[in-house]
Amino acid sequence: MHRHRRLPPLSLSLLPPPCGAESPPDERAPGEDHQPSQPSGIFVERPQSATATKGKDITFVAKVDSSNMAKKPTMKWLKGKWLDLGSKAGKHLQFKEVYDRNTKIYTYEMSIIKVVDGDAGSYRCEVTAKNKCDSSPFEVSVQAAPEEQQDNILEAFKRSGDGGEDAGELDFSALLKKREKKPKVVEEAEVDVFLILKDAKPCDYERIAFEYGITDLRGLLKRLKKMKKVEPKKSDAFLRKLDAAYSVDKGKKIHLSVEVTDPNTPVKWLKNGQEVKPSAKYVFESVGNKRTLTINKCNQSDDAAYECVVGEEKSFTEVFVKEPPVTITKLLDDAHTVVGQKVEFEVEVSEEGANVKWMKDGVELNKETAGSRYRFKKDGRRHVLIVNEATKEDIGMYHALTNGGESKAELEVEDKELEVLQSIADLTVKAAEQAVFKCEVSDENVKGKWLKDGVEVRPSDRVKITHFGRTHKLMIDDVKPSDAGDYSFVPDGYALSLSAKLNFLEIKIAYVPREDPPKIHLDAGGPGGDNTITVVAGNKLSLDVQITGEPAPTVCWRKGDQVVPEGEGRVHVESNKSLSSFIIERAEKDDEGRYSISVTNAAGEDVVELNVKIVDVPSPPENVRCTSVGEYSGAIAWDPPAFDGGVPIKGYLMERRKVGSSRWTKLNFDVHESTAYEAKRMIEGVLYEMRVFTVNGVGTSEPSATSQPFMPIAPTGEPTRLTVDDVTDTTCALKWRPPEKIGAGGIDGYIVEYCKEGGDQWVQANEEPVVNNQYRVKGLPVGERMLFRVTAVNIAGRSPPATLPQAVTIREIVENPKIRVPRHLRSKLTVRVGEKVNLVLPFQGKPRPVATWSKDGVLLEDKAVGTRTSDVDAILFIRSAERSHSGKYTLSVQVESALDSADLHIQVVEEPGPPVAVRVADVWGSNAALEWKPPKDDGNCEIIGYTVHKADMKTKDWFTVVEHNRRPGCTVSDLVMGNEYLFRVFSENVCGLSAEPGISQNTAIVTKTGLSHNRAPFKEADVNCSPKFTAPLMDRSVVAGYSTAISCAVRGYPKPKIIWMKNNMIISEDPKFLMQNNQGVLTLNIRKPGVYDGGKYSCRAANDLGEDVVECKLEVHVVQEKGAAAKN
C-alpha cells in the first residue's frame, strides 16, 4: 500500500458543488431568498445578474423606498440601450408590483417564462420619482438544459485490471455513496489542483493525483470535465446570423437578414416554431448569400420569436412590436353616491384593445386583488371600472393610467338615508269594516315589518300585507274589537319606526226621532280650524264628507256662485245616502279657492265652507353664478326661485360637472338653506359647471340653468420689481415684472391704482386690465405726492398688490440733453452707391427736447435724405445712397437753453475708373516694364492697388500677372521669346476692381537671340485596323425581376458597326433592351429579365477591314421556384 502525502487545502473557487448540494450564495438562482444588496441611490434592493436555464422560469426583483418621495415612483424595465419591455407584458414576460404600507417600500418583479436563447443580453431597470432618478444594470445569460443521466447499475459491476470482461476482481466502489469531504485546514501553501489538471496533459493525470494525494481521480476528472466551458461552435451554414432582438413600431415594416455560406442553399423561416409561408405580409428575398424576411405592417401578432433554419443549424431572434402611446380622449368624472349604490368610472382611450391600469389611492386594482367588489369592463375604446354596492371603504381617488396619459376622479360615499314620503295615520273603524294602514318611503327596494303592540303581524285570511313600489299597506278585513291597538311599520336596516293607532267604534242603538236636521260631519284639519285642504298639483283630491239627517238631505257643492256638477267632469261630486265625495282629477292651479257644501231637508239646513289650496314643486333658482374661486374650491351664489310652489322652500341641492362631461356629481344630500355655497375638493386648472335645484315640501324643482364655466384657480402672486420709469407734470410711467407665482390660471392683465400720500382712497387708473408690464398714469395733479400700486388679475381675482415704497412727486424733471452715439457710428461710415442708409441715434432730455439735422454746417433740406425725431431718438434714412450724400451730418438736441450735438461722417463710394496712359516702357530679355497713371475717378475713396493681366497676341487669352500692386508700374517677367504680348490694368478700391481695364498703348515683342530649329517633315501614322474585342462577354447568372447588364470592349478603325444578338437572332428595337457604346465600351442593359430572357447572347463588330464576335451565356432563375423545390 502506497503512502500518500497530505492533501493541501484546495482552492474552492473552481470546485463545483457536490450532486444534490445547495448552490452557494453567488450562484443562487434569481427569485430565491437572498440578502439585499448594499443600498445605493433610491434602490433598497437591485436585480442581480444571473444565468438562466433554457425552458425554465426566472424572476428578478427590485425594491424602492418611497418614504421620502412626494409621488409614486415610476419603474421601467429595459433591454439593451432603449428597448422598453413594459409593452411586451404577456405570457413570456410578466411584471408585478407590490406596495407595503408599513415600510413604504415598492417591490417590482420581472419574470421571464420559459427562457429562450433570445432572452440573453444586457438589461436595466430605471426608477424615476419627480426630480430623482436611478438605474441598475444586470446581465442575463442562457445555458442549455442539463442532460438527465440515467444510472445503469450494471455499469457499476466492473472488474479491475486490463484482462477483459472476466479478468480481475469485481469492484463495487462505484455503488458506494459519495460523501462530501471537508478539506482539512493545514498551514501549507494553498494549491489549485483543478488549475493544474486543467493545463496538464491526460498522460500526467495519475502522476499529479499521486503527488497531491488524490484518491478519487475519476470523480475529480468528471467534475473537471463539467467545468470546461464549451467553446461556441463556429457555424458552418451561416456567415452572419440574426441579431439577438429587433424592435419595430406598430404599422411599420422590418427586415430580418442573414448571410449563408452556400448561395444555393434553401432556408426556412419559423415563427414561434411554425413555418412562415410567403405572402403579401411575409416577403422572402434571396440575393447572393443574403436571405431576408420582410414583415409588412407589423402588429401585436408579429411580436414573437423567429428562427432561420439552414439544414440542421438555426439562428434565433425575437421581434418586439412597439405600440404608439395610448392617450385618454375622455377623462374620468367625479362620483358622489350613497352606501349600497353601484358606481361606474368610465374612460375612453385612443386605441381599441389598449391596456388600461386602474388604481385606487396609489394601489393597483386588478382581478386578483379586487375580488367581487370591483368589476372591469371593456367595450372597444371604452374602459369601465364598476364598484358594486359602494361602501365607506371605497372613498378615495381613482386613477386610470395608460402608457401615454392619466386621468383621475374622486369617489364620495355617504350613508344612505330613508325619507318618509307618507306616514301612517290613526284610524277609527266600526265593526265589520275594513282598516287600511298605508305608508310610503323614498326607496322602493326597502322591505319592512308590521307590528301590533310590539308583536309582528302575520298575514292571514283577514290580514293582508302588500308592498308595491314605494308603498307598504296593511289591510284588516271584518274589523273586530280585538284588532284595536298600536300599529307600527319598521323598515329593514334603518332605525326608523312609523306608528299609528286603530280605534274600534262601537255602535249603540238609541231612539232617533223621525225628523233630524241635516248635519255635515267635516274636519279638514287645517290650521286654526279654517278647513284648508292642500293638494299637490297633478294629484287627485277625493274628499269624503259624511252627511246625516232624516229625511235624507239634498247636497249641493259650490265654488263661489258656480255649482259643481254631479258625476261628470274633471271636478265633480259623487253622493249617496250618507256620504258625499268631492273629487278633483289632476288638480290644477285654477282649482284653488273657496268651496262650500250645503245640505237641506225638511228639518233644516247646514252649510260648511272649506278652502282648497293647490301646491306644486317650485321653479328652479335663477342667476346661478360663480362669485369667487380658490385653488381647490369655488364659491357660487344664486337668486331664490320666482315661484315657491305655494309652500315654504326647505333649501337647495347643488350639482357640478367637468366641462365636456355628461355626468353630474351631487355636492350635498341634505338640503342647503342659504343661497350661497362653496364647492370644495376640486381639481385646479379644470373647468367646472354648476346647477342648483330648489326643494320644498312637495318635491324638487327642475335644475337651474347651468352656470358659466369656472376654473378653481388661486390668485397669482404680487407683481415684482415695481419701479418708476418716467414722470411729467401730469403723468407717471410705471414698469414691473410678472409675479413669481402665476399658477394654472395665468394672468389676464394688471390693474394700476394710485392715491395721495396719507390718504386711503385708491383710484383705479385703467378701466380694463393692461396686458403689458408697463403703464403711464395720466391726469395726475401737478406737484402732488402720489402712491402707486399694481395688482395682477386672472379668473381667480386680484393678487396682493405691489406698492411703491415711497411717494412720487408729480413734477416734470429737467434733464439736460445727451446724445448717445452707437459705437459703430463713432467712426466714418462707408456706404456703397445704391445701398440703403438707416441710422438711429438715441438721446435723452426733458422736457420736450428739440432735435435738428444739418449737413456740413448747413441746415439739412435735401429731400432725398429723410429725418424723423421723437422724444427719445432721431432717425436719418436714405433710400438709395449717392456720392453727393457724402459729408458730415450733425444732430443737435436742445432742451430750453441746454444744447448737445453729435457728428456723423458718411462716405458713399463706388468702383473706381480704369488707369490711364498704360504703356510698355521697356523690354529686355524675357522681361517687360509697364507704366500707367492713376484713374481719373477713384470712386470717392483711396486706390488700394492694381491688377495686371497679359495676353499672347496669338491666342488672345488673358492671364493674371500681378495682383494688389501698390505702385503705378511693374515689371512682368518669364515672357516667352518670340511672342508678342498685350497688357491691361485694373484699378482697385474698397468696392473692388474697376469695371473697365486700361489697355496698354503698345505691345511687348520678345525677340529671339540666335536660336533656330529645323523641324522634320510630318508623317501621318496609319491607324486603320480591323475590329478586335479587348474585353470579352462573361457568363452571368441573375435573379428574375432584377435588371442586369452585360459588357465588353472593342477596338477598330474606322469605327465598327455593332450588332447584338440573342440565340443568333438580331435584337431589334425592343424596349426591354438598351444598347450603349461609350468610347468602345459596349453595354447591353436588360430590364427586369424573366425566365425566357435566358440564353446565348453575342456581340458582333464589323468594318471594312474585318469583323469579330464574342458571346456569353445568361441564366435567369426564380427564387420562389427554388424554395418550393427545396421543400418538396
Side-chain angles (χ1 to χ4, degrees):
M1 184 173 182
H2 297 284
R3 182 182 181 89
H4 300 289
R5 295 175 60 186
R6 176 179 293 179
L7 179 66
L10 304 181
S11 175
L12 299 181
S13 60
L14 297 175
L15 186 62
C19 182
E22 296 181 357
S23 301
D26 57 345
E27 298 180 359
R28 183 184 292 108
E32 297 180 358
D33 296 336
H34 56 278
Q35 296 296 330
S37 60
Q38 187 69 20
S40 176
I42 57 180
F43 279 102
V44 176
E45 180 178 338
R46 298 174 178 267
Q48 304 296 320
S49 300
T51 300
T53 303
K54 186 176 179 181
K56 302 294 183 180
D57 301 344
I58 189 170
T59 302
F60 298 90
V61 181
K63 295 184 178 180
V64 176
D65 186 3
S66 64
S67 57
N68 296 326
M69 300 180 186
K71 293 185 178 180
K72 176 188 174 185
T74 302
M75 172 65 75
K76 284 186 178 181
W77 296 88
L78 306 173
K79 182 177 181 182
K81 293 184 178 180
W82 54 269
L83 184 58
D84 189 356
L85 301 178
S87 60
K88 309 303 174 188
K91 294 183 179 179
H92 186 61
L93 285 175
Q94 296 181 1
F95 301 92
K96 186 178 180 182
E97 176 184 330
V98 178
Y99 177 65
D100 190 341
R101 293 180 178 273
N102 297 326
T103 60
K104 295 185 178 179
I105 291 179
Y106 284 90
T107 302
Y108 302 91
E109 295 183 2
M110 180 185 75
S111 299
I112 306 177
I113 309 302
K114 295 183 179 179
V115 175
V116 297
D117 292 335
D119 294 326
S122 300
Y123 290 76
R124 186 173 77 257
C125 64
E126 289 186 355
V127 60
T128 306
K130 201 173 182 181
N131 56 355
K132 296 182 180 180
C133 182
D134 198 1
S135 65
S136 177
F138 59 96
E139 299 286 336
V140 177
S141 56
V142 180
Q143 66 179 4
E147 299 180 358
E148 296 184 358
Q149 298 180 356
Q150 297 181 354
D151 296 336
N152 187 357
I153 194 171
L154 295 178
E155 294 180 0
F157 293 89
K158 293 184 178 179
R159 298 179 182 271
S160 61
D162 300 330
E165 295 182 357
D166 298 332
E169 299 179 356
L170 288 173
D171 184 8
F172 297 94
S173 61
L175 296 179
L176 297 178
K177 182 178 180 182
K178 297 180 181 179
R179 296 182 180 178
E180 182 181 1
K181 293 186 178 181
K182 298 181 179 180
K184 296 181 181 180
V185 180
V186 295
E187 297 180 357
E188 296 185 17
E190 186 176 294
V191 178
D192 194 340
V193 180
F194 282 97
L195 186 60
I196 297 175
L197 290 174
K198 182 179 179 182
D199 299 331
K201 298 181 180 179
C203 60
D204 295 333
Y205 285 165
E206 292 187 1
R207 179 183 59 78
I208 296 173
F210 177 78
E211 182 179 353
Y212 290 99
I214 300 174
T215 57
D216 188 8
L217 178 60
R218 180 179 298 176
L220 197 61
L221 292 178
K222 287 184 179 178
R223 296 182 186 179
L224 182 63
K225 185 177 181 181
K226 294 180 181 179
M227 289 175 53
K228 291 184 178 180
K229 295 183 179 179
V230 179
E231 295 294 332
K233 182 180 178 181
K234 187 175 181 181
S235 175
D236 296 331
F238 292 96
L239 295 176
R240 180 176 60 84
K241 290 190 174 184
L242 295 169
D243 295 341
Y246 294 85
S247 178
V248 62
D249 292 331
K250 184 177 180 181
K252 303 294 183 180
K253 67 179 180 180
I254 188 172
H255 303 281
L256 308 181
S257 299
V258 298
E259 291 185 8
V260 295
T261 306
D262 185 2
N264 298 321
T265 185
V267 299
K268 288 183 181 180
W269 292 95
L270 305 180
K271 173 184 174 183
N272 290 337
Q274 301 294 325
E275 185 174 357
V276 179
K277 302 294 183 182
S279 63
K281 184 174 183 64
Y282 300 102
V283 179
F284 294 176
E285 295 183 27
S286 176
V287 179
N289 295 74
K290 189 175 181 181
R291 302 292 186 268
T292 304
L293 169 64
T294 302
I295 308 175
N296 295 314
K297 296 182 179 179
C298 294
N299 52 39
Q300 286 302 313
S301 63
D302 299 317
D303 192 302
Y306 291 81
E307 303 174 39
C308 181
V309 182
V310 178
E312 298 297 329
E313 292 195 31
K314 300 180 180 179
S315 178
F316 298 89
T317 188
E318 191 168 2
V319 174
F320 297 93
V321 180
K322 298 190 297 182
E323 292 187 3
V326 178
T327 58
I328 296 178
T329 58
K330 182 180 179 183
L331 302 177
L332 293 174
D333 293 323
D334 296 335
H336 197 160
T337 187
V338 297
V339 175
Q341 294 293 326
K342 182 175 75 173
V343 180
E344 293 186 0
F345 288 105
E346 179 181 336
V347 70
E348 194 171 299
V349 297
S350 58
E351 294 285 342
E352 289 191 7
N355 293 325
V356 175
K357 183 178 180 181
W358 293 95
M359 301 185 69
K360 175 183 179 292
D361 295 333
V363 180
E364 182 179 0
L365 300 176
N366 51 46
K367 294 182 179 180
E368 298 178 358
T369 60
S372 60
R373 176 178 294 181
Y374 302 100
R375 289 193 296 116
F376 305 93
K377 180 180 177 183
K378 291 184 180 180
D379 182 12
R381 296 189 299 156
R382 292 175 58 251
H383 293 255
V384 183
L385 171 64
I386 302 175
V387 183
N388 298 318
E389 298 182 358
T391 63
K392 286 283 190 176
E393 298 178 356
D394 297 322
I395 297 176
M397 190 68 70
Y398 289 79
H399 296 254
L401 299 96
T402 65
N403 59 359
E406 176 183 1
S407 180
K408 61 182 178 179
E410 186 179 12
L411 174 61
E412 296 182 1
V413 182
E414 295 190 0
D415 291 326
K416 190 175 183 180
E417 296 183 1
L418 188 66
E419 183 179 355
V420 179
L421 303 179
Q422 180 181 350
S423 183
I424 58 178
D426 296 341
L427 296 177
T428 301
V429 295
K430 301 176 183 178
E433 290 185 348
Q434 183 188 50
V436 179
F437 290 102
K438 182 176 74 172
C439 66
E440 186 177 356
V441 294
S442 59
D443 191 351
E444 62 182 13
N445 297 321
V446 171
K447 299 180 180 179
K449 298 179 182 179
W450 289 93
L451 305 178
K452 177 195 174 187
D453 298 331
V455 179
E456 184 177 357
V457 177
R458 300 292 181 180
S460 62
D461 294 339
R462 279 193 321 111
V463 179
K464 296 180 176 59
I465 299 176
T466 63
H467 173 204
F468 182 75
R470 298 183 296 183
T471 303
H472 297 259
K473 286 185 180 182
L474 171 63
M475 296 177 289
I476 305 175
D477 297 332
D478 193 12
V479 176
K480 300 178 180 178
S482 60
D483 294 327
D486 293 327
Y487 288 82
S488 59
F489 175 74
V490 179
D492 294 342
Y494 295 93
L496 179 65
S497 177
L498 307 179
S499 301
K501 192 170 185 179
L502 176 61
N503 299 315
F504 183 77
L505 180 61
E506 295 184 0
I507 302 176
K508 298 181 180 180
I509 301 175
Y511 173 76
V512 179
R514 303 255 334 153
E515 291 186 359
D516 189 8
K519 181 65 175 176
I520 301 173
H521 302 276
L522 174 64
D523 183 10
D530 59 353
N531 290 338
T532 299
I533 299 174
T534 303
V535 184
V536 178
N539 289 358
K540 177 182 178 180
L541 170 63
S542 180
L543 178 62
D544 297 334
V545 179
Q546 187 177 1
I547 306 298
T548 59
E550 191 66 28
T554 301
V555 181
C556 181
W557 288 83
R558 288 186 175 85
K559 180 183 181 183
D561 297 334
Q562 297 181 357
V563 177
V564 179
E566 178 132 3
E568 61 182 13
R570 189 175 58 82
V571 181
H572 63 276
V573 177
E574 296 178 0
S575 301
N576 55 26
K577 183 178 180 181
S578 61
L579 193 68
S580 179
S581 299
F582 175 63
I583 300 173
I584 301 177
E585 301 282 354
R586 302 180 306 278
E588 299 176 354
K589 188 65 178 177
D590 295 338
D591 298 329
E592 191 174 71
R594 297 290 295 182
Y595 289 80
S596 63
I597 177 176
S598 61
V599 292
T600 57
N601 66 359
E605 180 182 6
D606 191 10
V607 178
V608 173
E609 292 187 352
L610 54 92
N611 184 29
V612 176
K613 182 178 181 182
I614 307 298
V615 297
D616 200 354
V617 295
S619 61
E622 300 176 349
N623 192 21
V624 179
R625 59 199 179 276
C626 175
T627 58
S628 64
V629 294
E631 190 171 4
Y632 304 106
S633 62
I636 60 171
W638 59 90
D639 298 333
F643 174 61
D644 61 0
V647 291
I649 294 176
K650 292 184 177 181
Y652 303 91
L653 298 176
M654 282 69 69
E655 290 182 349
R656 78 177 181 210
R657 73 174 179 185
K658 298 175 183 176
V659 172
S661 173
S662 59
R663 179 181 295 180
W664 289 92
T665 302
K666 289 186 177 181
L667 299 182
N668 62 317
F669 285 91
D670 297 330
V671 294
H672 183 73
E673 297 180 357
S674 174
T675 56
Y677 183 79
E678 183 179 9
K680 299 182 179 180
R681 305 182 72 175
M682 295 174 138
I683 301 175
E684 183 183 10
V686 176
L687 284 172
Y688 287 91
E689 295 175 329
M690 299 283 290
R691 67 181 184 184
V692 185
F693 299 81
T694 309
V695 180
N696 64 3
V698 179
T700 305
S701 69
E702 292 292 323
S704 67
T706 305
S707 69
Q708 291 294 326
F710 64 93
M711 182 184 297
I713 292 294
T716 66
E718 63 181 24
T720 59
R721 300 171 64 180
L722 175 61
T723 57
V724 177
D725 191 34
D726 185 28
V727 180
T728 66
D729 288 340
T730 58
T731 65
C732 179
L734 305 173
K735 62 181 181 180
W736 59 88
R737 299 292 298 165
E740 295 180 356
K741 177 185 176 184
I742 295 178
I747 297 178
D748 295 337
Y750 300 92
I751 298 296
V752 181
E753 297 175 306
Y754 63 90
C755 76
K756 295 182 179 180
E757 185 180 21
D760 58 356
Q761 299 296 326
W762 290 91
V763 180
Q764 183 171 327
N766 51 329
E767 297 180 359
E768 297 293 333
V770 60
V771 180
N772 298 326
N773 294 341
Q774 58 185 4
Y775 186 76
R776 180 176 290 274
V777 184
K778 301 179 180 179
L780 299 175
V782 181
E784 289 286 348
R785 291 180 59 80
M786 307 297 290
L787 291 173
F788 297 91
R789 68 181 185 185
V790 179
T791 57
V793 180
N794 65 1
I795 193 174
R798 295 189 178 187
S799 70
T803 307
L804 284 176
Q806 296 179 351
V808 179
T809 302
I810 307 303
R811 182 180 293 111
E812 186 74 56
I813 300 175
V814 178
E815 183 179 5
N816 291 331
K818 177 67 176 178
I819 302 175
R820 302 187 180 275
V821 181
R823 184 181 299 273
H824 69 282
L825 297 178
R826 295 177 184 174
S827 59
K828 182 182 292 185
L829 177 65
T830 302
V831 182
R832 299 187 66 168
V833 171
E835 290 184 350
K836 181 173 63 175
V837 179
N838 190 0
L839 308 179
V840 180
L841 273 72
F843 58 81
Q844 63 187 28
K846 294 181 181 179
R848 295 171 292 280
V850 178
T852 57
W853 286 93
S854 61
K855 178 185 177 185
D856 299 330
V858 180
L859 186 65
L860 184 61
E861 295 180 351
D862 190 352
K863 295 183 179 179
V865 180
T867 61
R868 186 175 62 191
T869 59
S870 66
D871 291 341
V872 294
D873 59 18
I875 299 176
L876 173 72
F877 59 91
I878 305 173
R879 298 187 184 277
S880 179
E882 299 178 1
R883 291 174 62 170
S884 61
H885 295 148
S886 302
K888 182 178 72 173
Y889 292 82
T890 303
L891 172 66
S892 300
V893 179
Q894 184 174 2
V895 176
E896 296 180 353
S897 61
L899 179 67
D900 189 21
S901 61
D903 295 335
L904 299 179
H905 296 273
I906 299 178
Q907 183 180 11
V908 182
V909 299
E910 60 181 344
E911 292 85 356
V916 297
V918 179
R919 69 186 185 89
V920 179
D922 191 12
V923 178
W924 69 97
S926 59
N927 306 310
L930 301 179
E931 293 180 353
W932 62 86
K933 294 181 179 180
K936 297 179 180 180
D937 182 10
D938 60 0
N940 200 27
C941 63
E942 180 186 2
I943 300 296
I944 61 175
Y946 300 91
T947 299
V948 181
H949 292 177
K950 72 176 180 180
D952 190 346
M953 295 299 291
K954 296 179 181 178
T955 62
K956 300 291 185 179
D957 294 332
W958 292 99
F959 298 93
T960 301
V961 178
V962 180
E963 289 183 316
H964 311 303
N965 188 67
R966 303 287 296 182
R967 295 173 54 253
C970 69
T971 300
V972 180
S973 304
D974 298 329
L975 299 178
V976 178
M977 288 187 179
N979 290 353
E980 183 179 1
Y981 291 93
L982 183 67
F983 300 92
R984 67 182 183 184
V985 182
F986 294 87
S987 55
E988 183 181 2
N989 63 5
V990 293
C991 295
L993 298 177
S994 60
E996 298 292 335
I999 306 297
S1000 61
Q1001 300 173 357
N1002 55 345
T1003 60
I1005 301 175
V1006 183
T1007 60
K1008 300 179 181 179
T1009 56
L1011 296 177
S1012 62
H1013 175 66
N1014 297 323
R1015 294 184 178 180
F1018 176 74
K1019 182 180 180 180
E1020 186 176 358
D1022 186 8
V1023 295
N1024 294 331
C1025 67
S1026 62
K1028 184 177 181 180
F1029 284 94
T1030 59
L1033 293 174
M1034 305 299 293
D1035 293 343
R1036 294 290 304 274
S1037 177
V1038 299
V1039 179
Y1042 290 85
S1043 299
T1044 187
I1046 54 178
S1047 301
C1048 60
V1050 68
R1051 180 178 62 189
Y1053 190 85
K1055 185 177 181 180
K1057 180 180 180 181
I1058 308 300
I1059 301 175
W1060 287 93
M1061 292 178 290
K1062 172 188 174 185
N1063 296 330
N1064 297 326
M1065 299 293 292
I1066 297 177
I1067 299 174
S1068 60
E1069 298 296 330
D1070 190 344
K1072 191 177 187 71
F1073 299 94
L1074 175 63
M1075 291 168 281
Q1076 294 177 330
N1077 185 349
N1078 184 13
Q1079 300 294 328
V1081 178
L1082 310 179
T1083 305
L1084 177 63
N1085 296 282
I1086 307 173
R1087 181 177 177 272
K1088 295 184 179 179
V1091 178
Y1092 299 102
D1093 292 321
K1096 184 176 71 173
Y1097 286 81
S1098 59
C1099 180
R1100 177 185 297 171
N1103 63 6
D1104 296 338
L1105 301 178
E1107 67 177 23
D1108 195 7
V1109 178
V1110 291
E1111 61 184 22
C1112 69
K1113 185 179 180 181
L1114 178 67
E1115 294 181 357
V1116 181
H1117 60 275
V1118 181
V1119 177
Q1120 290 78 359
E1121 294 179 355
K1122 291 185 66 177
K1127 288 186 283 186
N1128 294 333

